[in-house]
Amino acid sequence: TWKETERTRFDRAHNELAWFYHRRFLDSRQIFMDQYGCNLISAFKKFQDLGKLEIITCGATHGFLPLMQEYPEAVRAQIMLARDHYEKCFGMGPRGIWLPECAYYPGVEKFLQEAEIRYFITDTHGVMFADPRPRHGIYAPIFTRSGPAAFGRDAESSKQVWSADEGYPGDANYRDFYRDIGFDLDFDYIKPYIQPEGIRKFTGVKYCRITGPTQAKEPYNPYVARDIAASHAANFMFNRERQIEHLNGVLGREPIVISPYDAELFGHWWFEGPEFLNFFIRKSVFDQQVYQLTTPADYLRIYDTHQVSTPSASSWGNKGYWEVWLEGSNAWVYPHLHVAAQRMTEVARQYPNAYGQMERALKQLTRELLLAQSSDWAFLMKTGTAPHYATKRTKDHILRFNRLYEQIKSNNIDEKFLQGLEWRDNIFPDVNWRYYQ
């Protein structure tokens, strides 16, 4: 960014932006390195311990649980290993879970109950089409028959923020994500800052605002954008006030409005998103008295009696069910994943007291299976974003799994091969393979 302040010194609009980024990156580095010692987990833990933030967990590797249900040991491992990792990071168990891809199938809640997880979130229709139908719709949780509560996503508030076409992020004054100097400037100038192979990439230095549906973009002004974010936060607060006043009158009880979003929206796709959240939270506390901010766990503490119902099978993928992760481009992966899950359960039961090299091999076998199960691979195949990479990753983990499985079965483990896998695929150092038993 210092180099950019020099390059743009005769262009006032871009030079001011270059200095804006220079100061921002220095401040970010100071917070990351000096204030939190390069450990953002400790930063989030601090605010959770203060009672200001509630952090929930997910599946261990974001495995698509409905397509594992024929092999319940694999579902159990995804949830229990996520719980263990959360406890290691935060010193306490998670109270809630974001099921991978928000994907629910009837029965998964028994594993959540085992992990002592009190609630999960489904997409809107997961609760709306529950059996029996919920009396209060998505504006109150329902208890599943195994215990954990299900909260339904509120479509109205979600769309208002999430949609780039109808929501706030598409405002012409906000920063354009796609116009980046990594693609806009001369190759020789940016070569030291992109991939060694010469592949261009985003650098984070972006000088254009959205402007409109045109290639001719105007310079971005972060101070104007900040004011727009404040007005959008005020509008969002106003809409929630009217929504909740209406719900209070209809339901005859205090509703809860669940508004979940991908974290990457805030600051990544929507650069001003964190400012929007900052303004909305402050305005909610000081500028209105209709509602209060809360968390699902706090709501359950205050209101501990709810209807018992079974949510509908659902996800937040296209059309609301599972076809994004099971269709023509990615269906080939599941026979391999199912065989691998079956084999993992087999050897976990065959060697219940493994130790030494055999235990290392079983831990690595678990890692390879977990990595192969990531729902992101199937998603990338479906969307065509990076299909070759996703296919390669899936095949690599399955092939490594199968080779290591054969070595375990023959009790002839190749130490060099095992060490290579431990170095390459080193997720979850203390992974508990016994969950597959």
Side-chain angles (χ1 to χ4, degrees), residues 347-363 408 411 413 433-434 437:
V347 293
R349 292 172 176 171
Q350 185 176 350
Y351 300 98
N353 301 312
Y355 63 94
Q357 186 188 60
M358 179 61 75
E359 183 171 28
R360 284 172 50 208
L362 287 168
K363 285 184 175 182
I408 292 172
N411 202 17
I413 298 169
W433 54 273
R434 290 182 173 86
Q437 293 175 348

Side-chain angles (χ1 to χ4, degrees), residues 60 65 68-81 105 110-111 114 337-349 366 369-370 373 432-437:
L65 304 183
M68 298 182 198
Q69 60 182 294
E70 296 300 317
Y71 300 91
E73 297 85 1
V75 177
R76 179 175 186 254
Q78 281 277 345
I79 293 169
M80 298 300 286
L81 291 170
Y105 72 90
K110 68 181 181 181
F111 300 111
E114 181 184 0
L337 295 180
H338 292 167
V339 169
Q342 193 174 25
R343 288 180 167 184
M344 185 69 231
T345 300
E346 172 196 341
V347 293
R349 292 172 176 171
T366 302
L369 174 57
L370 290 170
Q373 287 174 331
N432 187 350
W433 54 273
R434 290 182 173 86
Y435 284 133
Y436 290 93
Q437 293 175 348

